Amino acid sequence: MKTSIATVCMSGSLVEKLRAAADAGFDGVEIFEPDLISAPESPEEIRSLAERLGLTLDLYQPMRDVEGVDEAAFRDVLRRAEAKFHLMRRLGIDTVLCCSNVTTATIDDDEVSASQLRRLGGLAQDYGIRIAFEALAWGKYIDDYRRAWRVTQLADHPAVGVCLDSFHILSRGHDPRAIEGIPGDRIFFLQLADAPALSMDVLSWSRHHRLFPGEGSFDLSGFLTHVLRTGYDGPVSLEVFNDTFRQIDVQGTAVHARRSLRWLEDAVTRSPGPDAPAGYASLPNSGAPSGFDFVEIKAEDTSRIEALLSAVGFTPRGKHRTKPVTLWSAGDARVVLNEQHARDQVPHIAAIGFSVRDAAALSERAAELGTPSAYRRTYAGEQLLDGAVAPDGTEIFWSSHGPGAEPAWTAEFEHGATPPHESPVVAVDHVSLGQPWQVVDEAILFFSSVLELSAASSTEVASPQGLVQSRVMQSADGAVRIPLNVSPPILSGHRAAMPQHVAFTCDDIVALARSARTRGLERLPIPQNYYDDLAARFDLDDDFVATLSELDLVFDRDGDGDGEYLHFYTATVGNLFCEFVERRGGYGGYGAGNAPVRHSAQRAGAARADSVRR
Amino acid sequence: MKTSIATVCMSGSLVEKLRAAADAGFDGVEIFEPDLISAPESPEEIRSLAERLGLTLDLYQPMRDVEGVDEAAFRDVLRRAEAKFHLMRRLGIDTVLCCSNVTTATIDDDEVSASQLRRLGGLAQDYGIRIAFEALAWGKYIDDYRRAWRVTQLADHPAVGVCLDSFHILSRGHDPRAIEGIPGDRIFFLQLADAPALSMDVLSWSRHHRLFPGEGSFDLSGFLTHVLRTGYDGPVSLEVFNDTFRQIDVQGTAVHARRSLRWLEDAVTRSPGPDAPAGYASLPNSGAPSGFDFVEIKAEDTSRIEALLSAVGFTPRGKHRTKPVTLWSAGDARVVLNEQHARDQVPHIAAIGFSVRDAAALSERAAELGTPSAYRRTYAGEQLLDGAVAPDGTEIFWSSHGPGAEPAWTAEFEHGATPPHESPVVAVDHVSLGQPWQVVDEAILFFSSVLELSAASSTEVASPQGLVQSRVMQSADGAVRIPLNVSPPILSGHRAAMPQHVAFTCDDIVALARSARTRGLERLPIPQNYYDDLAARFDLDDDFVATLSELDLVFDRDGDGDGEYLHFYTATVGNLFCEFVERRGGYGGYGAGNAPVRHSAQRAGAARADSVRR
């Protein structure tokens, strides 16, 4: 797969963009005209730099409003075009993107557009240049790729072909199957973008909200499959207008973008139909993790977390034989407390371990997807954990061991107690990670491409400090669930303002809450107004509500009334709290309706803690 | 005008919201149910607090999905409603908002909805409560206020009336004139929200993008006039769901919200038609400023700005007799350089002075609009300047003096040179202020309500660090123009990353650029690629382009080809640069097409400056 990326996808100067694209492993780039115009480097310098970096310059773009105009306007089109063809020769670029007319078109006639494209093609040919004609989704007359292809056929010129852009086709709901009717050598260029399902005008959607493949709602694997069936063998290029990617670090975006194409390449090889196209390789595959292996909580002093775990019946399993790290377990839930190199750090989730079928395959997969490796210092005789760093900085590790079996690495912990046969807490239910708004799209691609988790639809809950967007990444069987919560932008940088949490499953939440209270667990207090409302909403028994209220339990019920969710939260310690949940009757959610009450109570708790410190 | 605000408009806890609303001078609040549910205070405590703060609790909201349902579902509605009526009695609230059914309605029949509202009204009446029935813009069957009113008429119960919400009516383009057909005493509540002109689904638009009156595109003065003609004399209440206001400081939002209603009250008194409604007062009025009086640049050391002004022919007019402040002038342009209390401050725009018709009236107006006062220490014999602090912290001053005449305060500067009769720079053209994303909506209301400037439509330019939104506030004659530029969120807090600027008008930009070069002015260098593109775009004469390129001048032309704009930028000093412009043929814009090149060149300049410092 020959990969390319439009410079408009990235932030920074043109030179920075070229360097980042090359570093991330792209084969080529599309030059977005405004990036060149703003560059202090001459076209010859840009050409030379790209050569040295090993990047091809695949496309110059865009040339606008070239057809459907009157003769006087078309003469000006030719004048402008000739200046740009001259420039393209200096750059050494042989394909130019011409968009369907948005502004100046006055003639809605395929013959006129075709004849003008033919004349433009003649001029281009003199410069050794090809015209890739693209129907914009908001083109004045030509807004459908099938019409752009008809006009191109009418133009009947070897230097005139089409450019296909997944956004312009899929955003309008146009059937991409007709692509297979276009000969591959008449498709001069292919641009891919994903996008979230939004209901807004297509121009704003396109200019601000495009995403890299795998992050939105488009079926890009199917789309690309249609294109490849034509015999197209040109670059697969990303053109993603996105307000966030325009702002954030260019190197990170380039790596992220390249990962999306590697993911897509793999998806195409697995799509139904004929054999995988030549030059397209699958990724090594381990499937989604079968469960949580461990959660690692790091802090300079983890004793408040030890007290918390002890109060809910976790067993201290001892200290690591070479590191200031302890292990606690309850049922299948394992929590590693790490005080190594943690000066001034408050408790937070530093790493998550997963049980996987084939750890070696997953390590290869992660490497092919260009993820940064996570590192744990190891000693002779200790198990080496492979891992990757997620976009928010959380380290992700994986190892192969059967479900239920204790993993081998637990033997590295010494002088601990033996866990009882039964414990009130039975497993990790989910791990919720707060995401800065800049990285959440990349995080979705990270968890879906590396760990093969799928993204549930987005939900939104109100907090006293703004709306929190939540997207759950989960395995098909629900054994692994990772809600990603996006903090409001105002809190960016205040990591502690939107704490992470670990939720543990139990079989009897009322018994657990009672025993934990006896052992001094500090719960998050839930206001009485919540219980008054609960009784009104669900028509609950008074005694049941009284029990919930007594124990600060919160409650939710499925839409169909079968599943119920009872849970309670601990007070926040550092940047972390714990949740204990009992799922009844196949309840599959996370009690999102209770999150506003939790956020308010946590904020009140933080304010009290602040006033104590003062 | 009795004013009210829904607690959902603001951030923080319910108690914080009540305090902020009272401090800002609201008469009452609507209690948004989730705010109460999350509050640790009992309903009785909330009621007592509101009483002590002098706030009425005007509305409890919302009750959802109450009509259009089958009998079994309606029995559950009555059960839920009774619990809420009981709660409302504890709160002392006598009106509840019932929205048209979105989710559970199965019967699209006015008679059914009316009969269910009648039964609900009967129950409400037992509790001394009134039902305000509102058509949501996305109601399943009832989505038009005219239908909600028909159903209310059919219900024919004294405890059932309508709630009107400007968003639900104007967002759908429904004609608000039919409001005048509703008797005022059947309108039980009035909610106002403005909104920007967006093309997206009405639910997302409503939940995320509402604005306070005066900040969007709705004609709220006309809307309110229709309502007042019915004889409605209840609260005028703000219900503004906005992602930003949910995040930012609650006190600031409450003051801002209250200002929007004071502005609207004034607008209604000036709307055409019958006399102003009783209890509605106009604001004192000075009209828009006739021009810029001065621009104040503040820094610990202003000498680089002095060098800059000197190079473009400004005259040093001396030092203030009591403060470390100097005055420079050229034509009608006056720049005050202020080194007082400026330790560690780099050059930035600290204040703007305006010439106004009636400074005393404007001071009263600003006070009635609840703006914070700006303060300048004055001494006997010095002119007292009244002023206000804009939302971004820039101080705004005003004084009355005729256009062209030197203001009296210039006499406070001593030992200066006498300005020549003619100078290359003739006036301030515009002052551009970078705005953090959190305050731009408030800034638009500030400049429109206090200074009576109007907001041009929004434009957007690309920079290497993200998209910059720009909104120009201007007087009708164009004498005062203030572009407000919103930095990308990633730069929030990096004040210097998006510099402010002052643009000065001149009559001969080529002569000014040449003479400034001779005097050593440091210009912003413009890349040659820009000029190659310019020649292609506008078909310009080679010599002309060569002159532009030689002098780093940039160029724009009006859409109709009549107006032209030639301008150049200085290097950035601190958080500031200057622009010099020549407007030809009535060009009315700001050369927005040149902004991406400027942003790129400024970023390259900043990188060079960084590398020198290292």
Side-chain angles (χ1 to χ4, degrees):
Chain A
M1 188 191 219
K2 173 164 164 39
T3 58
S4 191
I5 183 168
T7 55
V8 72
C9 305
M10 297 174 280
S11 68
S13 69
L14 182 55
V15 166
E16 290 168 321
K17 293 174 187 208
L18 294 180
R19 291 208 170 114
D23 285 350
F26 279 94
D27 301 310
V29 298
E30 305 174 25
I31 300 284
F32 182 58
E33 180 167 77
D35 284 326
L36 182 80
I37 291 173
S38 295
E41 295 80 13
S42 70
E44 289 78 7
E45 284 177 275
I46 295 299
R47 178 185 193 155
S48 300
L49 173 66
E51 272 171 20
R52 177 165 64 77
L53 295 172
L55 284 176
T56 53
L57 299 182
D58 297 324
L59 187 78
Y60 189 77
Q61 61 120 324
M63 198 174 290
R64 295 187 194 278
D65 299 337
V66 298
E67 44 66 48
V69 298
D70 64 33
E71 185 57 27
F74 188 67
R75 278 196 299 273
D76 197 56
V77 166
L78 289 176
R79 188 191 58 71
R80 281 193 291 132
E82 188 150 20
K84 295 303 172 187
F85 295 160
H86 180 71
L87 170 68
M88 287 172 64
R89 264 224 297 234
R90 295 172 64 194
L91 285 162
I93 301 182
D94 69 4
T95 307
V96 63
L97 175 72
C98 291
C99 309
S100 63
N101 200 318
V102 170
T103 319
T104 62
T106 52
I107 306 168
D108 184 8
D109 182 332
D110 286 356
E111 292 285 355
V112 170
S113 292
S115 121
Q116 292 176 339
L117 284 177
R118 189 180 315 118
R119 288 162 69 189
L120 195 61
L123 179 64
Q125 203 170 28
D126 296 344
Y127 285 83
I129 283 170
R130 308 187 311 165
I131 307 283
F133 182 54
E134 174 184 66
L136 296 181
W138 54 90
K140 187 165 173 186
Y141 301 127
I142 300 173
D143 59 3
D144 183 327
Y145 79 99
R146 293 163 292 201
R147 184 165 176 192
W149 168 233
R150 273 203 310 277
V151 168
T152 302
Q153 283 175 291
L154 282 172
D156 191 26
H157 191 284
V160 180
V162 292
C163 171
L164 300 178
D165 180 313
S166 61
F167 184 89
H168 293 298
I169 296 168
L170 301 177
S171 68
R172 297 288 305 273
H174 294 158
D175 187 340
R177 281 177 298 186
I179 291 172
E180 297 188 24
I182 308 176
D185 62 359
R186 306 307 298 156
I187 301 173
F188 283 4
F189 209 74
L190 172 66
Q191 294 176 319
L192 294 182
D194 206 339
L198 291 177
S199 153
M200 66 193 315
D201 70 287
V202 73
L203 177 60
S204 305
W205 190 18
S206 172
R207 290 278 168 82
H208 301 285
H209 301 287
R210 290 185 180 208
L211 292 170
F212 292 120
E215 297 170 2
S217 62
F218 290 164
D219 173 16
L220 290 183
S221 164
F223 183 89
L224 180 54
T225 299
H226 292 306
V227 175
L228 295 175
R229 285 194 187 135
T230 69
Y232 175 78
D233 64 356
V236 176
S237 188
L238 297 169
E239 189 192 35
V240 173
F241 300 89
N242 178 291
D243 290 357
T244 299
F245 303 148
R246 280 175 182 272
Q247 296 178 47
I248 62 176
D249 172 60
V250 59
Q251 279 102 348
T253 302
V255 168
H256 167 193
R258 183 66 189 80
R259 180 177 307 143
S260 76
L261 284 184
R262 186 67 192 86
W263 169 85
L264 183 64
E265 179 182 351
D266 171 70
V268 166
T269 65
R270 290 182 294 102
S271 70
D275 287 345
Y280 279 61
S282 299
L283 285 169
N285 172 318
S286 169
S290 59
F292 289 98
D293 186 11
F294 65 89
V295 176
E296 179 185 297
I297 296 169
K298 190 165 179 174
E300 178 165 0
D301 175 1
T302 58
S303 54
R304 286 186 66 196
I305 303 293
E306 297 189 16
L308 189 163
L309 295 174
S310 175
V312 291
F314 273 65
T315 302
R317 300 289 300 283
K319 186 167 176 301
H320 193 271
R321 55 187 175 220
T322 63
K323 298 182 245 185
V325 173
T326 54
L327 169 66
W328 292 69
S329 78
D332 288 337
R334 284 174 288 279
V335 177
V336 172
L337 301 182
N338 181 354
E339 294 184 348
Q340 190 173 36
H341 305 141
R343 170 139 22 131
D344 291 338
Q345 295 183 22
V346 299
H348 64 282
I349 297 171
I352 306 173
F354 293 100
S355 311
V356 302
R357 182 171 46 75
D358 184 344
L362 182 48
S363 300
E364 274 182 63
R365 180 182 182 91
E368 286 208 33
L369 286 164
T371 60
S373 293
Y375 175 78
R376 279 288 181 275
R377 191 187 301 182
T378 55
Y379 297 90
E382 289 169 11
Q383 183 177 353
L384 184 63
L385 288 177
D386 275 353
V389 183
D392 71 347
T394 305
E395 294 183 318
I396 304 297
F397 294 96
W398 45 81
S399 65
S400 314
H401 64 89
E406 277 254 322
W409 60 264
T410 59
E412 296 163 21
F413 292 81
E414 298 174 335
H415 312 300
T418 305
H421 237 42
E422 298 235 315
S423 105
V425 166
V426 297
V428 172
D429 186 86
H430 60 274
V431 179
S432 178
L433 300 174
Q435 304 287 308
W437 60 270
Q438 310 93 297
V439 307
V440 67
D441 294 318
E442 185 180 356
I444 288 166
L445 181 69
F446 175 90
F447 285 109
S448 61
S449 65
V450 179
L451 292 183
E452 302 184 60
L453 302 177
S454 57
S457 61
S458 181
T459 58
E460 190 175 79
V461 303
S463 88
Q465 293 152 295
L467 295 174
V468 179
Q469 290 280 350
S470 182
R471 196 99 189 256
V472 180
M473 306 301 303
Q474 57 192 10
S475 57
D477 63 1
V480 170
R481 318 183 203 223
I482 306 178
L484 303 176
N485 295 327
V486 185
S487 329
I490 202 89
L491 299 177
S492 288
H494 298 247
R495 206 174 170 178
M498 194 66 41
Q500 308 162 314
H501 80 266
V502 187
F504 298 98
T505 323
C506 66
D507 291 330
D508 184 343
I509 190 91
V510 172
L512 177 64
R514 279 199 205 287
S515 69
R517 184 171 60 172
T518 310
R519 299 196 209 176
L521 180 73
E522 198 186 341
R523 295 189 312 269
L524 185 73
I526 302 296
Q528 183 56 39
N529 295 342
Y530 168 82
Y531 296 102
D532 291 347
D533 178 64
L534 203 63
R537 267 196 295 155
F538 293 116
D539 200 10
L540 300 171
D541 177 79
D542 285 351
D543 287 349
F544 181 62
V545 174
T547 301
L548 297 178
S549 170
E550 174 202 349
L551 296 170
D552 291 314
L553 288 167
V554 292
F555 177 85
D556 191 29
R557 188 181 279 162
D558 269 345
D560 59 13
D562 288 343
E564 291 186 340
Y565 192 55
L566 283 78
H567 49 144
F568 70 91
Y569 314 103
T570 69
T572 300
V573 180
N575 188 31
L576 182 77
F577 65 96
C578 292
E579 181 182 357
F580 298 90
V581 314
E582 181 187 335
R583 293 177 183 273
R584 295 178 178 173
Y587 179 94
Y590 301 85
N594 297 321
V597 171
R598 167 173 69 77
H599 284 298
S600 292
Q602 286 174 331
R603 183 164 172 277
R608 275 194 305 275
D610 273 354
S611 75
V612 168
R613 271 198 288 276
R614 264 192 222 111
Chain B
M1 188 191 222
K2 172 164 166 39
T3 58
S4 190
I5 184 168
T7 54
V8 73
C9 305
M10 298 174 279
S11 69
S13 68
L14 182 55
V15 166
E16 290 167 321
K17 293 174 188 209
L18 294 181
R19 290 206 172 115
D23 286 349
F26 279 95
D27 301 309
V29 298
E30 304 174 26
I31 299 285
F32 181 58
E33 179 168 76
D35 284 326
L36 182 80
I37 291 173
S38 294
E41 295 80 14
S42 70
E44 290 77 9
E45 283 177 275
I46 296 298
R47 177 185 192 156
S48 300
L49 173 65
E51 272 173 17
R52 177 165 63 77
L53 294 172
L55 284 175
T56 54
L57 300 181
D58 296 324
L59 187 78
Y60 189 77
Q61 62 119 322
M63 199 174 289
R64 296 187 193 279
D65 299 337
V66 297
E67 44 66 47
V69 297
D70 63 33
E71 185 57 26
F74 188 67
R75 278 196 300 271
D76 197 54
V77 167
L78 289 176
R79 187 192 58 73
R80 282 194 291 128
E82 187 150 18
K84 295 304 173 185
F85 295 160
H86 179 69
L87 171 68
M88 287 173 64
R89 265 221 299 232
R90 295 174 64 195
L91 285 162
I93 302 183
D94 68 6
T95 308
V96 63
L97 177 70
C98 291
C99 308
S100 63
N101 200 318
V102 170
T103 319
T104 61
T106 51
I107 306 167
D108 184 8
D109 182 332
D110 286 356
E111 292 285 354
V112 170
S113 292
S115 118
Q116 292 177 339
L117 284 178
R118 189 180 316 120
R119 288 162 67 190
L120 196 60
L123 181 63
Q125 202 169 29
D126 296 344
Y127 286 83
I129 284 171
R130 307 187 312 166
I131 307 283
F133 182 54
E134 173 184 67
L136 296 180
W138 53 91
K140 187 165 174 189
Y141 301 127
I142 299 174
D143 59 3
D144 183 327
Y145 79 97
R146 292 162 293 202
R147 183 165 178 195
W149 168 233
R150 271 202 311 277
V151 169
T152 302
Q153 282 176 291
L154 282 172
D156 191 26
H157 191 284
V160 179
V162 293
C163 172
L164 300 177
D165 180 315
S166 62
F167 184 89
H168 293 297
I169 296 169
L170 301 177
S171 67
R172 296 287 305 273
H174 295 159
D175 188 340
R177 280 177 300 186
I179 291 171
E180 298 189 23
I182 308 176
D185 62 359
R186 306 306 300 156
I187 303 175
F188 283 3
F189 209 72
L190 172 65
Q191 294 176 319
L192 293 182
D194 207 338
L198 291 175
S199 154
M200 66 193 315
D201 70 286
V202 73
L203 177 61
S204 305
W205 190 18
S206 172
R207 291 278 168 84
H208 300 286
H209 301 287
R210 292 185 177 204
L211 292 171
F212 292 120
E215 297 170 2
S217 63
F218 290 164
D219 173 14
L220 290 184
S221 162
F223 183 88
L224 180 53
T225 299
H226 292 307
V227 175
L228 295 176
R229 284 192 188 137
T230 69
Y232 175 78
D233 63 356
V236 176
S237 187
L238 297 168
E239 190 192 34
V240 172
F241 300 89
N242 178 290
D243 288 359
T244 299
F245 303 148
R246 279 176 183 274
Q247 296 178 47
I248 62 177
D249 172 61
V250 59
Q251 279 100 351
T253 302
V255 169
H256 166 193
R258 185 63 189 83
R259 181 179 306 143
S260 76
L261 283 184
R262 187 65 193 87
W263 168 84
L264 182 64
E265 179 182 351
D266 171 69
V268 166
T269 64
R270 290 182 292 101
S271 70
D275 287 346
Y280 280 60
S282 300
L283 285 168
N285 172 320
S286 170
S290 58
F292 289 99
D293 185 12
F294 65 89
V295 176
E296 178 184 297
I297 296 170
K298 190 165 179 174
E300 177 164 1
D301 175 0
T302 59
S303 55
R304 286 185 68 196
I305 302 294
E306 295 189 14
L308 188 163
L309 295 173
S310 176
V312 291
F314 273 65
T315 302
R317 301 287 301 282
K319 184 166 177 301
H320 193 271
R321 57 189 174 216
T322 64
K323 297 182 241 183
V325 173
T326 55
L327 170 65
W328 292 71
S329 77
D332 287 337
R334 284 173 289 277
V335 177
V336 171
L337 302 182
N338 181 354
E339 294 183 348
Q340 189 173 37
H341 306 140
R343 171 138 23 131
D344 291 337
Q345 296 183 23
V346 299
H348 64 281
I349 297 172
I352 307 174
F354 293 100
S355 310
V356 302
R357 184 170 47 75
D358 184 343
L362 182 47
S363 301
E364 274 181 63
R365 180 183 182 89
E368 286 207 32
L369 287 163
T371 61
S373 294
Y375 175 77
R376 279 288 181 276
R377 190 187 300 182
T378 55
Y379 297 89
E382 289 168 13
Q383 184 178 352
L384 184 63
L385 288 177
D386 275 355
V389 183
D392 71 347
T394 305
E395 294 182 316
I396 304 296
F397 294 96
W398 45 80
S399 64
S400 314
H401 64 88
E406 278 256 320
W409 59 264
T410 59
E412 296 164 21
F413 292 82
E414 298 173 336
H415 314 301
T418 306
H421 239 41
E422 298 234 318
S423 107
V425 166
V426 298
V428 172
D429 186 87
H430 60 274
V431 179
S432 179
L433 299 175
Q435 303 288 308
W437 61 270
Q438 310 92 297
V439 306
V440 67
D441 294 317
E442 186 180 355
I444 287 166
L445 181 68
F446 175 89
F447 286 109
S448 61
S449 64
V450 179
L451 292 183
E452 301 185 61
L453 301 177
S454 56
S457 61
S458 181
T459 58
E460 188 174 80
V461 302
S463 88
Q465 293 152 296
L467 296 175
V468 179
Q469 290 280 351
S470 183
R471 195 100 191 255
V472 180
M473 305 301 303
Q474 57 192 10
S475 56
D477 63 1
V480 170
R481 315 182 204 224
I482 306 176
L484 303 176
N485 295 328
V486 185
S487 330
I490 202 91
L491 299 177
S492 287
H494 297 246
R495 203 174 172 174
M498 196 64 42
Q500 308 162 315
H501 81 267
V502 187
F504 298 100
T505 325
C506 65
D507 292 330
D508 185 344
I509 190 91
V510 171
L512 176 65
R514 279 201 205 287
S515 68
R517 183 170 61 172
T518 311
R519 299 195 208 176
L521 180 75
E522 197 185 344
R523 294 190 312 269
L524 184 74
I526 302 297
Q528 183 55 38
N529 295 343
Y530 169 83
Y531 296 102
D532 291 348
D533 177 66
L534 202 63
R537 264 195 298 155
F538 291 116
D539 200 11
L540 299 172
D541 177 77
D542 285 351
D543 288 349
F544 180 63
V545 174
T547 301
L548 296 179
S549 171
E550 174 202 352
L551 296 169
D552 292 314
L553 288 167
V554 292
F555 176 85
D556 191 28
R557 190 182 276 161
D558 268 345
D560 59 13
D562 287 342
E564 290 186 342
Y565 192 54
L566 283 79
H567 50 142
F568 70 92
Y569 314 102
T570 69
T572 300
V573 181
N575 188 30
L576 183 77
F577 66 94
C578 292
E579 181 182 358
F580 298 91
V581 314
E582 182 186 336
R583 293 178 184 272
R584 295 178 179 175
Y587 179 95
Y590 301 85
N594 297 320
V597 171
R598 165 172 70 76
H599 283 299
S600 292
Q602 286 174 331
R603 184 164 172 278
R608 276 195 303 276
D610 273 353
S611 73
V612 168
R613 271 198 287 277
R614 264 191 221 112

